[in-house]
């Protein structure tokens, strides 16, 4: 019996002006019915181009299919080359026999139509059903993907649903025509670990029920171990290696696979320098290579990834730098006709804790637990309802507006999405120089430029980047720019809000190493907010676990991670994809 999908020697080029960029270099692989094949690699490796090629969603031009075949076995057992299909035949396959779940559900769903109508549209397009029957089928699909109150969600708009619920609507839409092949492109990247686990379980359950073939695209090898049967590792448009999950995790052959496996924080002690892909790349052709063992995997690592413990040293362990007392941040939930508030959303509810000078405090919990609201309230970006924030002996809430503006030199934040926190119209040099100018730290322009270049070099960027715009950088580079901007005024306190959650595992390792190095050099106190407990355990001295606006548990990072006391914390840790070699 032929494979469900067979890609043979596929080459995809992108043509612009007179330059040709090869995105895929003669790649070949198969996907069978009832099999989950994971495609793994960093941004730019070609994994998304591969998936978009299968559905012919790449714009041509600039995309150009220079070589190869994409053979798909239809439900009637007829094998067709997708690259040669006329538009009408392609339309009958797209969304019907081959469906796709995209990375960002909010941009994939139309904000002006209800969720139910959008799924119904896909059903009516490909199946001969009445509107009433299509509606009934949509509600049944919502039940199948375990959405709460499916009849109610049918009439809701995308903005009224959480990230995990929106992703389930996308899965329902993809499953609506019972496809033979499902392509899932980074479907859990921006989700909490607990929501991620339920989505992974759901995809696996549906795949087994329908005997579908699944292409699962991700940069997270921990996720791969949870869901895949076979793994394809991609690097710079080529297949570095492929094999079963056990082969790839226990006996990787390619240095790039070894690098991806090695740089996950879950495998390393707190503060230990994380190896990165760049470290492995430098040592590939080197004769002076040393063997370093991580778990059951032999990893070839050179001198650049030495495991000297760069754990930040906390200064003056007893000095309380920030003290939060009975902090409340409530938002109106219901109002009477006359505007009187009758009910509140208690985002932060009677929270008290201390941050010791020089330490990194981890703040973890699911979306909606109040961690970002708490982080922003500490900087007075959100005004609290009541309570106290004592910063270095002074009540921050008592500061008038002008005094607070001066104080802002001492308190900075690194936001989750670096692209939306940088102005697309100004160069990154100007963006980093702006706080220096606003606070009149350096008055002369030439001196400011010199300081900015110094900061760029500290975050492993170059002087030539000064005049470039945000869109000219990768996600990891943009995050480093935001770190440089936060450090420009040499603050004593920094809040890192989900600052590595959307990054590739190797870029994440680079940013975590950088934060540890900079903390050692500048000695700032920080709060690190994340939903990923393995990352928080690696970077933090202590951890606070938040749930529904209150502190669930707090303590030493290793104690919380290895010996959690509360059921909620155990559930968070259980949901972290650890992979085979993590033990």
């Amino acid at each position: 019996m032929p494979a469900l999908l067979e890609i043979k020697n596929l080459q995809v080029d992108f043509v612009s002006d007179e330059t040709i960029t090869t995105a895929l270099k003669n790649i070949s692989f198969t996907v069978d019915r009832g099999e989950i094949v994971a495609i793994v690699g960093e941004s730019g490796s070609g994994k998304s181009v591969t998936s978009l090629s299968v559905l012919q969603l790449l714009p041509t031009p600039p995309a150009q299919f220079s070589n190869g075949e994409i053979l798909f076995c239809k439900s009637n057992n007829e094998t067709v080359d997708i690259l040669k299909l006329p538009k009408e035949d392609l339309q009958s396959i797209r969304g019907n026999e081959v469906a796709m779940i995209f990375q960002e559900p909010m941009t994939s769903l139309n904000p002006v139509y209800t969720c139910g109508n959008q799924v119904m549209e896909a059903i009516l397009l490909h199946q001969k059903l009445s509107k009433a029957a299509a509606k009934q089928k949509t509600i049944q699909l919502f039940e199948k993907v375990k959405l709460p109150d499916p009849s109610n969600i049918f009439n809701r708009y995308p903005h009224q649903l959480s990230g995990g619920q929106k992703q389930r609507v996308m899965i329902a839409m993809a499953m609506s025509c019972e496809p033979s092949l499902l392509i899932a492109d980074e479907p859990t990247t921006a989700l909490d670990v607990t929501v991620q686990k339920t989505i992974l379980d759901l995809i696996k359950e549906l795949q087994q029920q329908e005997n579908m073939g699944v292409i699962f695209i991700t940069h997270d090898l921990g996720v791969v171990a949870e869901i895949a049967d076979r793994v394809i590792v991609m690097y710079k448009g080529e297949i570095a290696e492929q094999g079963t999950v056990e082969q790839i995790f226990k006996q990787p052959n390619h240095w790039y696979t070894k690098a991806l496996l090695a740089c996950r924080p879950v495998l390393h002690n707190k503060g230990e320098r994380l190896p990165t892909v760049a470290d492995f790349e430098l040592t590939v052709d080197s004769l002076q290579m040393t063997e370093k063992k991580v778990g059951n995997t032999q990893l070839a690592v050179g001198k650049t990834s030495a495991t000297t413990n760069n754990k930040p040293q906390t200064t003056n362990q007893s000095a309380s730098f920030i003290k939060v007392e009975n902090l409340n941040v409530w938002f109106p939930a219901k109002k009477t006709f006359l505007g009187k508030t009758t009910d509140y959303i208690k985002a932060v509810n009677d929270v008290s804790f201390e941050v010791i000078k020089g330490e990194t405090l981890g703040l973890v919990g699911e979306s909606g637990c109040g961690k970002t609201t708490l982080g922003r309230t500490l900087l007075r970006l959100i005004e609290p309802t009541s309570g106290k924030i004592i910063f270095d002996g002074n009540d921050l809430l008592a500061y008038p507006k002008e005094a607070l503006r001066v104080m802002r030199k001492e308190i900075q934040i690194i936001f989750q999405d670096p692209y939306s926190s940088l102005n697309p119209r100004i160069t990154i040099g100007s963006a980093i120089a702006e706080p220096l100018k606003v606070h009149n730290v350096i008055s002369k322009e030439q001196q400011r430029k010199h300081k900015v270049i110094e900061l760029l070099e500290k975050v492993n960027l170059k002087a030539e980047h000064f005049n470039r715009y945000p869109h000219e950088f990768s996600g990891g580079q943009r995050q480093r720019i935001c770190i440089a901007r936060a450090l420009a005024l040499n603050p004593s306190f920094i809040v890192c809000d989900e600052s590595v959650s959307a990054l590739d595992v190797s870029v994440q390792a680079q940013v975590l190493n950088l934060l540890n190095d900079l903390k050692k050099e500048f000695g700032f106190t920080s709060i690190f907010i994340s939903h990923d407990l393995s990352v928080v355990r690696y970077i933090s001295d202590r951890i606070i676990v938040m749930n529904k606006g209150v502190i669930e548990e707090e303590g030493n990072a290793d104690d919380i991670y290895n010996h959690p006391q509360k059921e909620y914390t155990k559930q968070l840790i259980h949901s972290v994809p650890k992979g085979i070699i993590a033990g």
Side-chain angles (χ1 to χ4, degrees):
M1 197 172 176
L4 176 63
L5 180 77
E6 184 175 7
I7 291 180
K8 287 183 175 179
N9 301 316
L10 182 65
Q11 178 161 327
V12 180
D13 296 322
F14 285 90
V15 183
S16 62
D17 300 327
E18 292 176 5
T19 60
I20 296 175
T21 306
T22 303
L24 295 179
K25 301 171 188 172
N26 296 315
I27 66 164
S28 300
F29 66 91
T30 61
V31 181
D32 289 321
R33 285 172 176 80
E35 177 183 46
I36 299 179
V37 176
I39 301 180
V40 185
E42 296 175 285
S43 295
S45 63
K47 55 190 191 297
S48 288
V49 172
T50 305
S51 68
L52 294 169
S53 298
V54 173
L55 279 170
Q56 290 293 280
L57 292 175
L58 292 172
T60 50
Q64 182 178 290
F65 294 92
S66 309
N67 189 39
E69 298 172 296
I70 302 174
L71 304 175
F72 176 69
C73 184
K74 295 169 73 175
S75 50
N76 61 5
N77 286 331
E78 178 196 352
T79 299
V80 294
D81 184 354
I82 286 175
L83 293 178
K84 292 176 182 171
L85 281 181
K87 203 171 184 180
E88 303 74 41
D89 292 354
L90 188 60
Q91 201 67 31
S92 69
I93 288 177
R94 248 189 224 151
N96 186 23
E97 296 206 44
V98 182
M100 188 159 182
I101 305 164
F102 293 94
Q103 180 172 353
E104 181 42 73
M106 195 63 212
T107 54
S108 309
L109 292 168
N110 191 324
V112 299
Y113 290 102
T114 64
C115 295
N117 277 328
Q118 294 185 63
V119 177
M120 260 180 72
E121 183 184 22
I123 294 168
L124 291 168
L125 183 67
H126 293 290
Q127 296 176 32
K128 291 173 182 175
L129 290 177
S130 66
K131 280 194 171 183
K135 181 176 180 178
Q136 191 56 41
K137 183 168 183 179
T138 301
I139 291 169
Q140 286 170 357
L141 282 162
F142 283 176
E143 283 172 3
K144 202 171 187 176
V145 299
K146 298 171 184 171
L147 278 165
D149 197 359
S151 302
N152 186 358
I153 283 186
F154 183 93
N155 295 312
R156 286 200 201 168
Y157 290 89
H159 73 272
Q160 295 175 301
L161 272 59
S162 71
Q165 287 173 336
K166 283 196 281 274
Q167 200 58 286
R168 285 175 204 220
V169 170
M170 287 297 298
I171 294 170
M173 192 186 294
M175 297 300 299
S176 63
C177 296
E178 295 159 18
S180 315
L181 177 65
L182 178 68
I183 300 169
D185 187 2
E186 301 263 18
T188 61
T189 298
L191 302 178
D192 296 333
V193 281
T194 46
V195 179
Q196 173 178 271
K197 185 165 174 51
T198 59
I199 295 292
L200 293 176
D201 291 345
L202 176 61
I203 290 172
K204 190 142 196 168
E205 189 183 314
L206 293 170
Q207 176 259 339
Q208 287 167 350
Q209 283 172 12
E210 307 294 334
N211 196 35
M212 286 187 303
V214 176
I215 295 175
F216 193 95
I217 295 166
T218 182
H219 60 251
D220 189 339
L221 275 156
V223 168
V224 170
E226 301 269 316
I227 197 168
D229 300 307
R230 281 195 302 120
V231 185
I232 293 165
V233 181
M234 291 193 73
Y235 177 65
K236 292 185 178 176
E238 297 180 280
I239 292 176
E241 67 179 301
Q242 53 182 309
T244 65
V245 169
E246 191 141 332
Q247 284 168 350
I248 294 296
F249 274 77
K250 290 192 172 179
Q251 295 172 315
N253 292 316
H254 199 278
W255 67 265
Y256 180 67
T257 312
K258 293 174 184 178
L260 287 181
L261 286 165
C263 61
R264 292 179 296 144
V266 75
L267 301 179
H268 297 271
N269 295 325
K270 185 169 64 182
E272 180 182 295
R273 191 158 197 82
L274 298 173
T276 67
V277 167
D279 296 335
F280 281 75
E281 218 163 4
L282 285 170
T283 58
V284 167
D285 300 316
S286 172
L287 296 172
Q288 296 176 331
M289 292 176 79
T290 57
E291 286 296 303
K292 177 193 173 192
K293 195 172 183 182
V294 176
N296 296 323
T297 308
Q298 290 291 335
L299 302 169
V301 182
K303 294 175 184 176
T304 49
S305 59
T307 58
T308 51
N309 194 332
N310 278 341
K311 181 181 170 183
Q313 299 300 310
T314 55
T315 57
N316 193 354
Q317 289 292 324
S318 60
S320 173
F321 191 57
I322 293 165
K323 194 172 185 181
V324 176
E325 296 177 2
N326 311 109
L327 192 68
N328 290 294
V329 185
W330 296 1
F331 299 106
K334 287 181 186 173
K335 290 188 177 184
T336 63
F337 179 71
L338 296 171
K340 188 182 177 184
T341 303
T342 57
D343 196 14
Y344 291 91
I345 294 166
K346 297 179 180 181
V348 177
N349 192 15
D350 197 30
V351 164
S352 300
F353 65 91
E354 290 184 17
V355 187
I356 306 300
K357 191 174 180 66
E359 81 169 340
T360 298
L361 177 72
L363 201 54
V364 289
E366 298 172 282
S367 289
C369 72
K371 57 188 188 296
T372 292
T373 302
L374 175 57
R376 293 186 181 198
T377 304
L378 293 178
L379 306 183
R380 274 189 68 181
L381 296 175
I382 295 172
E383 290 295 336
T385 308
S386 62
K388 280 187 174 181
I389 302 168
I390 310 298
F391 177 78
D392 203 15
N394 301 305
D395 187 355
L396 198 62
L397 302 181
Y399 275 66
K401 213 169 187 178
E402 204 49 50
L404 183 64
R405 185 184 167 96
V406 175
M407 167 58 77
R408 290 215 181 277
K409 280 198 292 187
E410 295 296 319
I411 51 178
Q412 293 291 319
I413 185 166
I414 303 163
F415 292 100
Q416 178 173 359
D417 182 358
Y419 196 66
S420 62
S421 60
L422 289 167
N423 187 332
R425 294 183 184 183
I426 67 171
T427 64
I428 61 113
S430 300
I432 298 168
E434 193 173 26
L436 296 169
K437 195 175 180 180
V438 167
H439 289 280
N440 202 25
V441 175
I442 301 172
S443 55
K444 291 183 179 176
E445 195 172 333
Q446 199 54 43
Q447 288 176 331
R448 275 200 302 269
K449 184 174 180 179
H450 182 73
K451 173 71 175 174
V452 170
I453 289 168
E454 196 181 289
L455 286 162
L456 284 172
E457 286 169 351
K458 277 196 193 304
V459 297
N460 303 326
L461 290 169
K462 296 174 183 172
E464 65 212 48
H465 292 140
F466 186 93
N467 291 316
R468 292 189 193 171
Y469 290 87
H471 73 271
E472 297 179 84
F473 295 90
S474 70
Q477 286 174 323
R478 282 197 288 265
Q479 197 58 281
R480 288 189 229 167
I481 291 160
C482 290
I483 292 169
R485 184 175 60 179
L487 289 170
L489 297 167
N490 199 10
S492 51
F493 176 57
I494 298 178
V495 173
C496 303
D497 186 7
E498 297 274 14
S499 49
V500 297
S501 65
L503 301 178
D504 291 334
V505 67
S506 179
V507 179
Q508 176 181 277
Q510 289 170 17
V511 173
L512 291 173
N513 283 341
L514 175 65
L515 286 169
N516 273 341
D517 290 346
L518 293 171
K519 188 175 173 194
K520 199 174 177 186
E521 183 179 342
F522 289 93
F524 53 79
T525 306
S526 60
I527 287 184
F528 192 93
I529 300 170
S530 179
H531 58 251
D532 188 339
L533 255 164
S534 63
V535 170
V536 171
R537 175 207 62 94
Y538 167 78
I539 196 100
S540 306
D541 300 300
R542 286 189 304 122
I543 292 177
I544 286 177
V545 182
M546 280 191 78
N547 182 21
K548 294 175 182 173
V550 298
I551 292 175
E552 191 83 21
E553 188 169 355
E554 63 179 300
N556 176 278
D558 285 329
D559 290 345
I560 294 281
Y561 191 78
N562 296 316
H563 309 289
Q565 301 300 308
K566 296 290 181 78
E567 200 53 46
Y568 178 75
T569 315
K570 288 176 185 175
Q571 187 189 345
L572 277 180
I573 292 165
H574 178 67
S575 300
V576 175
K578 294 177 176 64
I580 293 173
I581 61 168

